[in-house]
Amino acid sequence: MLETMQKKDADYEMLKTLIHKNLGFNCEQYKDSHFKRRIDVRLRATNSGTYRDYVKLLQSNSNEYPELMEALTVNVTNFFRNPEVYDVVEKEILPALIKAKGTGLKSIRIWSAGCSIGVEAYSIAMLLHYLLGNDFNKYNIKITGTDIDKDSLLKAQQGIYSGAEMKDVRPAFLSSYFVKEGNNFIVSEELKKVTQFKKQDLISGPKMNGFDAIFCRNVTIYFQKELQEQLYMDFYNALLKDGFFVMGKTETLIGPSKDMFRAYNSKERIYQK
């Protein structure tokens, strides 16, 4: 039995090596339980009984790699997900950022980390446009969405969404910020011009800084504890003074950052530098 387990572990390690080599996806950053759950989706879909069977499949059929990448990075997401968080963002966080800019250079920089298909970045852009109204173009606004999955980033850049992703968009925003084409909704150019999307590995990629607010929700739960600690400090350092950090409802600050951030709204997991 021990020998069988060792073989299984060796096959799993071989699979991780293949994934890292061919997808550039660093498996060691993720909790094993999460990672195995995602891989098991593809084992079932391909009728692979073991990790070894799946390794053989990957070696003989490179078309499986895009399917695997999607399984590893898939996120259930839609505009204004967790509306209670966006309620605080709309009524308190963004107005505070706007007020803090005063009369000088009115530059607002926001980072949507682990942005998936871009709905969070565009949700923030809608709220900013709504709050600023005719003053929107007086501000230099840049909302940067980053992710490791190029297919998700491509969808974000295209800004074309299905009805399911639109379910929490208020009617006034639907008519103001989207063009309906068949069953799809296309983001307006007004929002696209203040958003940008790029590939970025949160752990090993170059560090970013100079942000008024960072949103990283339901991303760090998949990372090992040590990497969570590192990430939260990276976010702290990437924020300007009094900048806001918005995390997922099931996530908790750990490590040095928990003594450095101050809680702004603990219930909604919003913190301030």
Side-chain angles (χ1 to χ4, degrees), residues 43 49 54 66 88 90 105 116 126 136 140 156 167 203 211 214 217 226 234 237 244 269-270 273:
L43 261 70
Y54 192 60
V88 179
E90 177 180 358
L105 175 64
S116 184
M126 279 183 252
F136 185 73
N140 176 17
K167 67 186 178 73
I203 300 298
F211 293 99
I214 297 172
R217 302 193 301 150
E226 295 76 16
D234 287 345
N237 293 326
F244 292 94
R269 298 289 199 272
I270 300 173
K273 182 166 178 172

Side-chain angles (χ1 to χ4, degrees), residues 46-65:
T46 58
N47 292 317
S48 300
T50 63
Y51 292 133
R52 174 161 292 196
D53 292 340
Y54 192 60
V55 164
K56 287 176 182 173
L57 174 69
L58 285 172
Q59 289 170 333
S60 63
N61 181 7
S62 60
N63 291 332
E64 172 59 19
Y65 278 108

Side-chain angles (χ1 to χ4, degrees), residues 135-154:
D135 290 335
F136 185 73
N137 291 319
K138 295 178 184 175
Y139 286 75
N140 176 17
I141 296 168
K142 185 186 284 185
I143 301 168
T144 302
T146 64
D147 206 278
I148 56 167
D149 181 36
K150 66 176 190 294
D151 290 335
S152 293
L153 290 169
L154 182 60

Side-chain angles (χ1 to χ4, degrees), residues 49-242:
T50 63
Y51 292 133
R52 174 161 292 196
D53 292 340
Y54 192 60
V55 164
K56 287 176 182 173
L57 174 69
L58 285 172
Q59 289 170 333
S60 63
N61 181 7
S62 60
N63 291 332
E64 172 59 19
Y65 278 108
E67 301 289 342
L68 174 57
M69 187 64 171
E70 187 171 340
L72 290 173
T73 58
V74 69
N75 276 313
V76 178
T77 188
N78 56 272
F79 289 94
F80 299 104
R81 191 176 181 207
N82 301 124
E84 62 281 4
V85 176
Y86 281 103
D87 196 45
V88 179
V89 170
E90 177 180 358
K91 293 175 179 171
E92 300 178 37
I93 304 304
L94 296 181
L97 291 184
I98 293 165
K99 186 180 178 185
K101 294 302 170 182
T103 55
L105 175 64
K106 295 184 177 182
S107 171
I108 296 176
R109 292 188 68 210
I110 295 173
W111 179 11
S112 171
C115 68
S116 184
I117 58 174
V119 291
E120 182 175 76
Y122 288 128
S123 295
I124 298 163
M126 279 183 252
L127 292 177
L128 271 173
H129 192 279
Y130 171 71
L131 290 168
L132 288 168
N134 293 332
D135 290 335
F136 185 73
N137 291 319
K138 295 178 184 175
Y139 286 75
N140 176 17
I141 296 168
K142 185 186 284 185
I143 301 168
T144 302
T146 64
D147 206 278
I148 56 167
D149 181 36
K150 66 176 190 294
D151 290 335
S152 293
L153 290 169
L154 182 60
K155 180 163 182 175
Q157 286 159 352
Q158 291 169 337
I160 302 172
Y161 298 97
S162 68
E165 288 146 355
M166 310 297 296
K167 67 186 178 73
D168 289 328
V169 180
R170 62 186 81 161
F173 282 9
L174 263 183
S175 56
S176 297
Y177 302 121
F178 295 88
V179 175
K180 195 167 191 301
E181 205 169 87
N183 293 322
N184 291 326
F185 296 82
I186 304 170
V187 173
S188 70
E189 290 304 315
E190 191 88 56
L191 297 189
K192 281 185 177 179
K193 74 181 183 186
V194 298
T195 52
Q196 63 170 4
F197 298 95
K198 61 183 186 179
K199 188 171 182 181
Q200 161 88 341
D201 186 320
L202 286 174
I203 300 298
S204 56
K207 302 303 175 204
M208 294 165 56
N209 56 55
F211 293 99
D212 297 292
I214 297 172
F215 290 70
C216 185
R217 302 193 301 150
N218 308 311
V219 175
T220 64
I221 47 172
Y222 303 122
F223 289 130
Q224 303 278 9
K225 182 173 174 285
E226 295 76 16
L227 291 171
Q228 289 180 14
E229 291 187 12
Q230 178 190 324
L231 260 180
Y232 295 147
M233 281 310 301
D234 287 345
F235 290 144
Y236 183 87
N237 293 326
L239 283 168
L240 297 169
K241 184 178 180 293
D242 298 324

Side-chain angles (χ1 to χ4, degrees), residues 12 15-16 18-20 22-28 30-43 54 58 64-75 147-149 152 218-219 222-223:
Y12 177 59
L15 177 55
K16 289 200 293 187
L18 265 184
I19 291 170
H20 191 221
N22 291 290
L23 290 175
F25 191 94
N26 189 350
C27 317
E28 301 304 332
Y30 296 87
K31 294 175 182 172
D32 260 354
S33 56
H34 158 72
F35 198 69
K36 285 179 176 177
R37 272 200 308 275
R38 294 285 171 100
I39 290 172
D40 286 348
V41 170
R42 293 311 303 162
L43 261 70
Y54 192 60
L58 285 172
E64 172 59 19
Y65 278 108
E67 301 289 342
L68 174 57
M69 187 64 171
E70 187 171 340
L72 290 173
T73 58
V74 69
N75 276 313
D147 206 278
I148 56 167
D149 181 36
S152 293
N218 308 311
V219 175
Y222 303 122
F223 289 130

